[in-house]
Amino acid sequence: MTQENIESVLIEKRVFPPSDEFRSRARIASKKDYDKLRSDANKDHEAFWGELAKTEIDWHKPFTTTLDSSRAPHFAWFTDGELNVSYNCIDRHLKDKGDKTAIVFEGEKGDTRHLTYKELHQEVCRLANGLKAKGIANGDRVVIYMPMVPEAVIAMHACARIGAIHSVVFGGFSAESLKDRIEDAGAKAVITADGGTRGGKVVALKAACDEALDHGCKTIKTIIVLKRAGNAVNMKTGRDVWWSDAVKGQADTCDPVWNNAEHPLFLLYTSGSTGKPKGIQHCTGGYLLGTIMTMKWVFDIQDSDIFWCTADVGWVTGHSYVAYGPLAVGGTVLMYEGAPTVPDAGRFWDICERHKVTIFYTAPTAIRALMKMGEEYPNKYDLSSIRLLGTVGEPINPEAWMWYYQVIGKERCPIVDTWWQTETGAIMISPVPGAVDTKPGSCTLPLPGIAADVVDEEGNSIGTPDKGGYLVVKKPWPAMLRTIWNDDQRYIDTYWSKFNGRYYLAGDSARQDKDGYFWMMGRIDDVLNISGHRLGTMEVESALVAHERVAEAAVVGRPDDIKGEAIFAYVVIKGKRPVDGDAEALTRELREWVAKEIGPIAKPDDIRFSDNLPKTRSGKIMRRLLRVIARGEEITQDTSTLENEDIIKQLRGQA
Ligand code: ATP
Ligand code: MG
C-alpha cells in the first residue's frame, strides 16, 4: 500500500451565505458570535463543556469533575453528577410547557395524533411502572423493536426513567439480527408491536420476536406487545403481555431514578458492517449535552418550530434527533410511520405542508430518490413554513444539494450538512446556519468544542488545502461513545490503535479546503488506488451525478494489472435504464464527462447501468457488495435487505 495522501480532484466553487431572513431570527446570527464560541472552546476545552453542562442540564446532584481521563481512551465526563434523561426531556418542561405538543404523529394511512408534554409524561410513567412490575431494574437491558410510532419514543423514555439500558433494533431487521442483538446485550425484555405498516405492507414484528426466541435469547423473560397493525399474533402465557395490560392500573407518575452521568443510557448496534454486531455504548450526561447543544447550534431550534427528522428510531439519528434532542430542548417533534412514496412521491411534502414543518432533516438517499421522481411533486405543495433543511448519513453530492436548496428550500433556507456517526452521539461537523456560509457538498466546519482534523499516515495534520487524509478527533467530547458493549478491546482496536491512543479515528477520509471547510471523501476502506493515486469514492460519484441524465452512482475499485485498480461505476439513470446502443453511447459520454469534470485519472473504466443500487437498511450504498460483483467473486454477504433479487443480476450485467 502506498503512503500517499488521498488526492482530491473535485473543486466546488459555489458559496451560499445565510439569508437575512434566516439570520434575523437565528440564535447565533453572526460569524463573530460563532467565532467567539469556537475560540472559548479552544482556550479551555474542559471549562467550555463544563459550563454548558451546568447551564443546559438539570442535575439532581451537581458534578465537580468535568473530565476524567484516567482510563483513557475510556473518557468520562461530569462523573460524579447525577441526573435522569427522561426527567430532563419531559418533567422539566411540565410547568411552563405542559400543554405544548411534544410529539406530532402521522401514520402511513393518514391517522394523526398529538401528544402534549403532560400526556407524554403520563404515558412514560405508566410504562415505566409497568416495566418495574415485570422486574426490570436499573441497569437491565431492554430491546425495543418497534414501528415508527410514539410508543417507540415512550418506551425509550420509560427505560431511561428507571435506568434500564435500551437497545433499539430497527423494525426492518430480520429475526436473526434481532436474536444476535438480544443475545449480545443480554436483554431481559423486548418491547415490540404486533406489526408496523410500511409501503402498504404489514411488517410482522411480534412474529419475528417469536422466531428469534425460538432459537435462543434465553435471557428474555418478558415481551410487551403494542397493538398497532392489527395482524394476528401468538401470545405466550407467562412471557408475553399486551402493552395495554402492562400499563393497566399503573400510576401516571413515576419517580425518576437518579443515575450517575456515566450510567449507560443505551446501546445501539451499527448498521452496515458484516460480522459480529458492534454494540455502541452511550452514557447519560455527556450524550444528553451533545444532543441539546446540537439542537441549538445546528438546528437553531426555537419554541415555535415543528421539527421533523425522518430517521427511524432504529438509527442513531432517530435517537438523538427524534427521541432525545428535540424533547430535551422542549421542542415539538414530528414522527411519520411510513414510506416516502405512499400514496405517491409527494408524501413528505404533503406532511410538511399540513403540519407546517419548519425544520426538515433527512438523508441524501431520500433526497436523490425524490429528485429522481421529478420536481412536480414538491411543486404541488406549499413548503413556505420550512426555514431550515438538513442532511445526514452519506456525503451529499453537490447536484443533490442544489436540488434540495432550490426545489425544496426555494433558495431561502440554509442547508445543514451534518457529519457524525453512531459513535459520536451527536453532530460533529456542520454549518451553524445563521453564521457559516455553506458550500454544496461540504459539511463545513467542526462545531465549537469538537477538535476534528485531517491527518496523514503518521498522524500529522495535513495542513495543505484540498489534500485528503484520515478524519480524526483530537480531544474527547461529552457525547462520544464510551466503549463497545462487553468488548473494551474492540473499542480500543477500532477507534484508537491507528494513532496509538492519541486520536479518535472516524474511519472516513476527508480533506479541508483553503477556508478550513471539511469535505468528506468516502470511507477509508473504499479508497481507490489508481496508478498510485489514492482517490475517495465520493468525488467520482459526484461527478457522475452532475451529469443531467444520472440520478445516482456508486464507484468501486477492481484489480487491474497495469493501474493497480480500475474504476468500476454503477449508474442509475433518471427514467428508463439504457440498453444496447444507448448504453454504449452513454458510457462513452459519461467517461468523457468525468474526465472533463475532474480529470482523466478518475475516468471510470467500466460503467454498468442498473435500476437501483444495493443499499443497507439505513439507505446507504453497499459498496462492499458492489466490489465483490465488480471482481466477479461469489457473494457471501447478507443480501436479504435488497429490494429485489433481480437487481443482483442487473448489477452483474446479466439482465
Ligand atoms: P457501520 O459502522 O456498521 O458500517 P455506518 O457507518 O453506516 O455503519 P452510521 O454510524 O449511521 O453507520 O453512519 C456514520 C457514517 O455515515 C460516517 O462515518 C460517514 O461515513 C457517513 N456520514 C454520515 N453523515 C455524513 C455526512 N454529512 N457527510 C458524509 N458522510 C456522512
Ligand atoms: Mg460506521
Side-chain angles (χ1 to χ4, degrees):
M1 216 176 92
T2 151
Q3 302 287 299
E4 278 279 313
N5 293 326
I6 300 159
E7 291 175 40
S8 174
V9 279
L10 182 81
I11 299 297
E12 169 62 57
K13 293 213 175 67
R14 293 168 282 197
V15 181
F16 297 88
S19 64
D20 291 337
E21 182 194 341
F22 185 88
R23 210 193 284 265
S24 68
R25 344 178 2 189
R27 174 179 274 111
I28 302 170
S30 70
K31 189 74 182 9
K32 198 166 137 255
D33 292 354
Y34 165 80
D35 286 340
K36 166 95 175 48
L37 267 181
R38 291 232 303 178
S39 78
D40 286 352
N42 286 342
K43 260 181 235 142
D44 192 338
H45 187 71
E46 236 182 277
F48 175 78
W49 283 115
E51 212 37 59
L52 291 173
K54 274 183 207 150
T55 51
E56 300 287 338
I57 290 176
D58 283 16
W59 295 90
H60 180 67
K61 176 174 165 254
F63 61 91
T64 60
T65 303
T66 301
L67 172 63
D68 176 0
S69 303
S70 60
R71 288 184 57 245
H74 298 277
F75 295 96
W77 287 87
F78 323 124
T79 38
D80 53 346
E82 285 176 13
L83 75 159
N84 182 285
V85 167
S86 140
Y87 177 90
N88 272 275
C89 291
I90 306 173
D91 304 43
R92 67 162 162 172
H93 308 308
L94 290 177
K95 194 164 144 277
D96 296 333
K97 296 184 176 179
D99 295 318
K100 175 174 175 168
T101 300
I103 300 178
V104 181
F105 170 71
E106 178 159 317
E108 191 174 78
K109 291 179 183 147
D111 49 317
T112 59
R113 230 173 116 189
H114 286 74
L115 272 133
T116 64
Y117 273 93
K118 256 189 216 155
E119 290 162 341
L120 178 63
H121 178 255
Q122 290 173 351
E123 301 258 351
V124 167
C125 288
R126 289 170 70 207
L127 183 65
N129 288 324
L131 289 171
K132 283 201 283 188
K134 289 285 172 198
I136 309 295
N138 200 5
D140 286 343
R141 274 81 61 209
V142 174
V143 163
I144 298 175
Y145 185 58
M146 298 275 285
M148 264 305 271
V149 294
E151 281 79 3
V153 173
I154 291 168
M156 292 162 84
H157 280 280
C159 289
R161 197 157 188 96
I162 62 171
I165 304 164
H166 62 67
S167 174
V168 182
V169 176
F170 173 55
F173 275 134
S174 64
E176 183 67 25
S177 321
L178 177 64
K179 174 180 158 278
D180 290 347
R181 287 158 175 74
I182 290 174
E183 292 188 337
D184 192 74
K188 254 191 172 173
V190 180
I191 305 177
T192 189
D194 49 359
T197 309
R198 209 181 150 85
K201 283 191 232 121
V202 171
V203 184
L205 297 168
K206 175 59 168 62
C209 291
D210 293 344
E211 199 185 324
L213 266 73
D214 283 347
H215 297 99
C217 309
K218 296 298 171 224
T219 49
I220 297 289
K221 303 288 175 248
T222 308
I223 304 186
I224 295 178
V225 188
L226 176 78
K227 204 175 225 124
R228 169 66 192 161
N231 50 317
V233 296
N234 290 317
M235 296 292 278
K236 190 169 165 186
T237 319
R239 185 194 71 184
D240 302 350
V241 54
W242 289 107
W243 178 301
S244 55
D245 292 329
V247 301
K248 196 177 280 165
Q250 296 294 351
D252 58 13
T253 59
C254 170
D255 288 339
V257 170
W258 305 111
N259 266 322
N260 185 274
E262 283 296 307
H263 180 76
L265 178 67
F266 65 86
L267 311 178
L268 184 62
Y269 290 83
T270 54
S271 60
S273 322
T274 49
K276 192 171 173 283
K278 265 193 306 208
I280 304 299
Q281 179 180 321
H282 278 289
C283 75
T284 297
Y287 173 78
L288 179 64
L289 184 63
T291 64
I292 293 174
M293 294 327 302
T294 47
M295 283 304 303
K296 294 189 173 183
W297 288 336
V298 177
F299 295 114
D300 185 46
I301 188 91
Q302 314 269 351
D303 201 35
S304 54
D305 278 318
I306 309 288
F307 179 82
W308 184 18
C309 161
T310 66
D312 191 279
V313 288
W315 312 123
V316 73
T317 311
H319 283 60
S320 303
Y321 302 108
V322 179
Y324 291 117
L327 299 178
V329 295
T332 298
V333 63
L334 187 140
M335 288 178 80
Y336 169 56
E337 175 190 34
T341 47
V342 176
D344 63 37
R347 185 59 178 265
F348 274 5
W349 321 125
D350 180 31
I351 293 175
C352 286
E353 177 184 303
R354 276 185 293 105
H355 296 286
K356 303 216 162 15
V357 169
T358 59
I359 304 173
F360 179 72
Y361 187 35
T362 197
T365 183
I367 297 168
R368 288 188 301 256
L370 294 168
M371 181 172 140
K372 192 178 160 193
M373 302 294 201
E375 281 182 32
E376 63 265 30
Y377 289 102
N379 288 346
K380 268 191 256 175
Y381 298 94
D382 175 8
L383 301 178
S384 61
S385 58
I386 300 178
R387 65 182 193 94
L388 179 63
L389 296 169
T391 154
V392 63
E394 281 186 299
I396 180 163
N397 328 84
E399 290 322 298
W401 194 103
M402 286 307 300
W403 185 86
Y404 202 29
Y405 185 72
Q406 287 168 341
V407 178
I408 307 304
K410 317 287 181 208
E411 300 183 17
R412 288 184 300 109
C413 309
I415 294 179
V416 287
D417 175 358
T418 64
W419 179 88
W420 62 298
Q421 311 175 291
T422 306
E423 294 87 342
T424 68
I427 297 167
M428 302 287 279
I429 309 179
S430 164
V432 166
V436 173
D437 295 356
T438 52
K439 303 182 187 182
S442 168
C443 51
T444 75
L445 300 167
L447 292 175
I450 300 299
D453 197 4
V454 181
V455 301
D456 65 16
E457 203 58 47
E458 276 75 49
N460 304 312
S461 289
I462 294 260
T464 319
D466 299 321
K467 251 191 147 116
Y470 297 93
L471 178 63
V472 296
V473 188
K474 294 186 160 177
K475 289 179 193 163
W477 64 102
M480 66 194 296
L481 79 163
R482 292 313 194 248
T483 191
I484 291 175
W485 179 253
N486 266 336
D487 204 344
D488 286 349
Q489 194 55 48
R490 192 169 178 201
Y491 166 73
I492 293 166
D493 294 345
T494 310
Y495 306 108
W496 298 94
S497 62
K498 172 94 186 164
F499 297 111
N500 300 320
R502 279 186 304 158
Y503 307 145
Y504 168 84
L505 177 78
D508 289 332
S509 57
R511 66 177 163 97
Q512 284 182 272
D513 67 16
K514 62 178 193 339
D515 301 319
Y517 278 42
F518 283 69
W519 297 77
M520 296 301 148
M521 299 169 75
R523 311 275 178 141
I524 292 172
D525 297 346
D526 295 336
V527 167
L528 309 161
N529 196 338
I530 317 294
S531 310
H533 300 274
R534 293 177 21 94
L535 304 177
T537 49
M538 167 63 188
E539 302 188 335
V540 187
E541 289 165 5
S542 283
L544 285 163
V545 175
H547 187 277
E548 57 175 11
R549 285 189 66 189
V550 177
E552 220 172 2
V555 306
V556 296
R558 65 157 173 76
D560 182 271
D561 288 344
I562 297 157
K563 299 195 281 186
E565 264 187 334
I567 298 181
F568 197 117
Y570 298 85
V571 173
V572 179
I573 295 293
K574 294 174 189 157
K576 246 174 109 61
R577 177 166 63 104
V579 286
D580 304 333
D582 184 24
E584 278 159 34
L586 190 55
T587 299
R588 273 195 303 276
E589 192 178 325
L590 288 176
R591 296 187 64 213
E592 290 318 312
W593 170 263
V594 173
K596 187 171 84 23
E597 288 279 294
I598 55 179
I601 182 79
K603 200 161 148 177
D605 296 84
D606 306 288
I607 294 182
R608 187 158 294 161
F609 299 103
S610 66
D611 292 326
N612 231 321
L613 295 175
K615 305 264 173 80
T616 64
R617 287 285 187 186
S618 53
K620 302 182 192 201
I621 297 167
M622 294 166 80
R623 286 192 193 75
R624 274 175 219 134
L625 176 67
L626 291 174
R627 203 154 43 218
V628 167
I629 296 173
R631 292 169 182 206
E633 295 164 1
E634 276 311 304
I635 297 170
T636 53
Q637 271 118 326
D638 178 17
T639 54
S640 61
T641 61
L642 295 183
E643 287 169 68
N644 60 19
E645 289 291 327
D646 291 351
I647 203 76
I648 298 269
K649 271 199 195 151
Q650 260 185 31
L651 296 167
R652 281 197 189 283
Q654 295 160 347

